[in-house]
Amino acid sequence: MPASDGDELNEVERLVEDAVAWLNQDPDPETHHELHMLLRRVGANDTDAVSDLRSRFGSRLAFGTAGLRGEIAAGPNRMNRVLVGQAAAGLAAFLLERAHPGTTPSVVIGYDGRTKSDVFARDTAEIMAGAGVRAVLLPRLLPTPLVAFAVRELGVSAGVMVTASHNPPRDNGYKVYLGDDDQGSQIVPPADGEIAAQIDRVATTRSVLELPRSDAYELADESLVERYVEATAAVAGGRAERAPLSVVYTAMHGVGWETIARVLDAAGFPRPALVEPQIAPDAAFPTVAFPNPEEPGALDLSFERAREVGADLVVANDPDADRLAIAVPDPSSTDGYRALTGNEVGMLLGWRAAEAAAASGWAGDAPALACSIVSSPALGAVARAHGLRFAETLTGFKWVSRTPGLVFGYEEALGYLVNPGTVRDKDGISAAIALLDLATQLAATGRTIADRLDEFSARFGHYGSAQISLRVTELSQIERVMQRLRADPPGDIGGLPVERIDDLAHGGDGVAPSDVLRLHLDGARVMVRPSGTEPKLKIYLDAWSDTGSVPERRDAVVELLQRLEGGMRDRIS
């Protein structure tokens, strides 16, 4: 037999050995049976089965600043009860190690409506309690912002949210927040690495079946949810005159509706018309190909419902309700409605926050607006006009939320932080209340959200954005594109001269090292980075103009974006 064949045989034997060890500690009948059948196929020399085994056991889901996220199936490179048990035990060890002598660390645990979310949450609570950590389980499936809120409200050491947010239906995930000095923000280095090391230690030294478990965890009281509702309703303020609007709402088969309904009632807003087929939690997400409001077709049922009722506004949460999508009437669209970009909503909410900060005044350092480095530069223009500080952070609310003096933060992927005093993470419910407050105040003066966007363009300049996503089957494809751009940087993009290129691989401008290229052009910017959660290369295009009338500014930006998109597609093809 050739050496290469022998190496492959040895590799398969090692994978089978690892799989059998995994099988022997898997408490889940479904994944246990699934893996048992896969091993039988491997034993019968099924090449597809060997490939599947290699995918599951050739690597491990990495625990990083986004926690864990992956497809539900057996194996260390999938989401399952063995992996979650190891993660819970590793996080417990981390919390116990960093606790002050004589104190008991604590954790609050939440879960959404995805497949096995409740199972993973209970496993976490039992393992945490068995390890000596005070564990508090939220009373039922609830939105992700409730966990971020609960970490601060309960004063616990950490929070765990079992969710895959807007990922495909078969995915699930494990998001971690830290309390104390971290104030309920998501984990960042070095904590992520320290937790990962503890998880690896558990995985290599203990069977999940041997981990101590206890049912002595607590169930959070309903009053916790009531306090979130009260704090979130306060985002609307209630000081200005409002005019009623016709609004359509969808929960995208997620967990947002029950909570946002209570917040709307508390804030004095009428109940919206509902997209009924999408309003109840459903882990199969039957009406959407991809449960992400940004994806083409995801809002089709919302637009249909909006046409039926003549809606002034469409409001959509993603499945765990930490993101918000907004659509407004648009006669030029075949749907009759246009979904705003995350940057457009971020501009509007940032302007709202800046006006409120300027009206209230401040002592000492000015409050701050913040966004991720791939979000529109428009927020910086708002900050400058109002005398506020402005910060650009690495992508992710784990960074945005840590901006000192923050009054508003966002990232272009439909994430907004409007009430940092209570939730240090993106929150699609509080953002919806802020947007509804703005829209109803505008309506009281006969204006619309579209009018407000034009007012923004007239005052600050017109800003436009576009995005190119290159989905790949092999991550090495992304690495090759990034290497090529670094080795042979473009002198122009679509005929527009490149003035400067920032390679953030070694950090810069106050951000930590990151695999990001930032290209500066006259009146435009291009950002290139690998996605942190999906096998994609993402390219962010931004352009702006403050010359001429609003229509002239808009036309100039459209032309710039078209040239940038054509030029970048040529570069990565």
Side-chain angles (χ1 to χ4, degrees):
M1 177 183 293
S4 58
D5 291 343
D7 290 343
E8 182 175 357
L9 179 61
N10 289 335
E11 179 207 12
V12 172
E13 289 174 346
R14 289 193 299 271
L15 292 173
V16 168
E17 183 178 324
D18 290 344
V20 169
W22 189 275
L23 189 70
N24 290 336
Q25 63 175 321
D26 190 348
D28 189 320
E30 182 179 338
T31 51
H32 188 281
H33 176 72
E34 169 196 304
L35 183 55
H36 174 72
M37 297 306 294
L38 177 62
L39 287 172
R40 288 183 61 179
R41 290 170 54 208
V42 171
N45 296 319
D46 183 326
T47 56
D48 289 340
V50 171
S51 178
D52 190 7
L53 187 72
R54 185 177 289 115
S55 174
R56 294 167 184 251
F57 286 87
S59 60
R60 182 181 179 88
L61 281 185
F63 185 93
T65 53
L68 295 166
R69 193 172 292 184
E71 180 185 354
I72 298 173
N77 200 30
R78 302 289 190 271
M79 283 294 298
N80 49 68
R81 292 185 67 188
V82 175
L83 191 81
V84 166
Q86 294 167 344
L91 177 59
F94 167 81
L95 295 175
L96 289 163
E97 187 175 81
R98 78 185 312 220
H100 294 298
T103 64
T104 300
S106 50
V107 63
V108 62
I109 304 152
Y111 57 97
D112 66 4
R114 282 183 175 265
T115 301
K116 296 190 184 296
S117 283
D118 57 340
V119 176
F120 294 162
R122 281 195 298 272
D123 279 345
T124 299
E126 292 175 359
I127 290 171
M128 286 283 181
V133 175
R134 176 189 167 220
V136 182
L137 184 65
L138 292 188
R140 61 184 180 283
L141 52 86
L142 285 163
T144 290
L146 263 294
V147 171
F149 172 79
V151 171
R152 301 182 71 178
E153 183 70 11
L154 299 178
V156 294
S157 311
V160 171
M161 180 65 190
V162 181
T163 179
S165 190
H166 57 282
N167 270 39
R170 283 297 300 172
D171 285 8
N172 214 326
Y174 205 79
K175 181 184 289 189
V176 177
Y177 301 86
L178 290 179
D180 304 323
D181 292 342
D182 291 271
Q183 301 183 64
S185 292
Q186 293 181 53
I187 54 171
V188 295
D192 60 335
E194 294 169 3
I195 296 169
Q198 292 285 8
I199 294 171
D200 288 344
R201 180 187 58 78
V202 172
T204 55
T205 62
R206 304 285 297 275
S207 163
V208 165
L209 299 179
E210 298 171 353
L211 296 173
R213 286 176 176 255
S214 171
D215 60 4
Y217 58 85
E218 305 168 29
L219 277 180
D221 190 82
E222 185 63 29
S223 63
L224 176 69
V225 181
E226 293 169 358
R227 294 197 296 277
Y228 170 83
V229 168
E230 180 182 356
T232 306
V235 168
R239 295 179 297 277
E241 183 182 354
R242 298 175 183 163
L245 292 175
S246 173
V247 178
V248 162
Y249 174 80
T250 178
M252 201 66 66
H253 297 298
V255 296
W257 171 238
E258 180 195 23
T259 302
I260 197 172
R262 293 172 62 177
V263 177
L264 290 168
D265 291 346
F269 290 110
R271 291 282 182 99
L274 303 180
V275 183
E276 292 287 357
Q278 297 179 338
I279 213 66
D282 188 335
F285 303 102
T287 69
V288 290
F290 203 102
N292 179 355
E294 288 184 293
E295 291 291 323
L299 295 177
D300 284 356
L301 287 181
S302 298
F303 294 157
E304 181 180 318
R305 183 72 170 128
R307 290 191 296 270
E308 291 174 359
V309 302
D312 303 302
L313 203 63
V314 174
V315 175
N317 285 134
D318 70 336
D320 68 328
D322 66 348
R323 287 175 168 83
L324 170 73
I326 294 293
V328 297
D330 182 356
S332 68
S333 168
T334 56
D335 293 313
Y337 289 83
R338 178 178 77 87
L340 303 186
T341 68
N343 283 322
E344 287 175 317
V345 176
M347 294 174 202
L348 294 176
L349 293 180
W351 190 8
R352 175 184 182 271
E355 288 184 332
S360 63
W362 59 83
D365 292 339
L369 305 179
C371 63
S372 63
I373 56 176
V374 297
S375 300
S376 173
L379 193 64
V382 173
R384 289 189 296 273
H386 290 83
L388 304 180
R389 291 182 295 115
F390 174 62
E392 289 183 294
T393 76
L394 290 179
T395 302
F397 271 84
K398 55 187 173 284
W399 302 109
V400 174
S401 67
R402 294 170 184 272
T403 302
L406 184 69
V407 293
F408 172 76
Y410 93 98
E411 61 181 7
E412 50 72 43
L414 307 185
Y416 316 97
L417 196 167
V418 303
N419 55 344
T422 53
V423 176
R424 287 274 172 173
D425 194 17
K426 57 183 174 292
D427 182 348
I429 297 175
S430 61
I433 297 303
L435 199 287
L436 283 169
D437 183 53
L438 173 62
T440 53
Q441 287 185 39
L442 290 170
T445 62
R447 294 177 293 159
T448 66
I449 289 293
D451 294 331
R452 186 65 166 172
L453 285 169
D454 284 345
E455 293 168 9
F456 188 102
S457 297
R459 177 168 180 185
F460 304 105
H462 184 77
Y463 287 77
S465 57
Q467 190 178 132
I468 302 171
S469 290
L470 176 65
R471 186 175 286 274
V472 300
T473 54
E474 296 289 340
L475 292 178
S476 60
Q477 295 173 256
I478 293 177
E479 294 174 9
R480 286 196 295 271
V481 172
M482 295 298 291
Q483 289 171 0
R484 189 167 71 243
L485 288 173
R486 286 186 166 102
D488 184 22
D492 71 274
I493 301 173
L496 299 169
V498 175
E499 298 176 345
R500 188 175 86 251
I501 299 177
D502 301 330
D503 187 344
L504 301 183
H506 303 291
D509 292 338
V511 300
S514 183
D515 189 11
V516 176
L517 291 173
R518 179 167 54 196
L519 294 81
H520 300 269
L521 305 93
D522 184 19
R525 187 190 69 185
V526 175
M527 306 285 292
V528 186
R529 76 172 184 95
S531 170
T533 57
E534 299 176 88
K536 287 181 177 180
L537 179 70
K538 304 189 83 170
I539 301 174
Y540 304 82
L541 312 173
D542 288 285
W544 51 92
S545 173
D546 58 3
T547 302
S549 65
V550 168
E552 289 170 336
R553 296 177 182 191
R554 187 183 299 115
D555 289 345
V557 167
V558 168
E559 181 185 355
L560 282 171
L561 290 174
Q562 289 173 342
R563 293 173 67 180
L564 291 175
E565 182 171 358
M568 286 307 299
R569 287 193 183 278
D570 289 342
R571 283 279 170 178
I572 64 174
S573 60

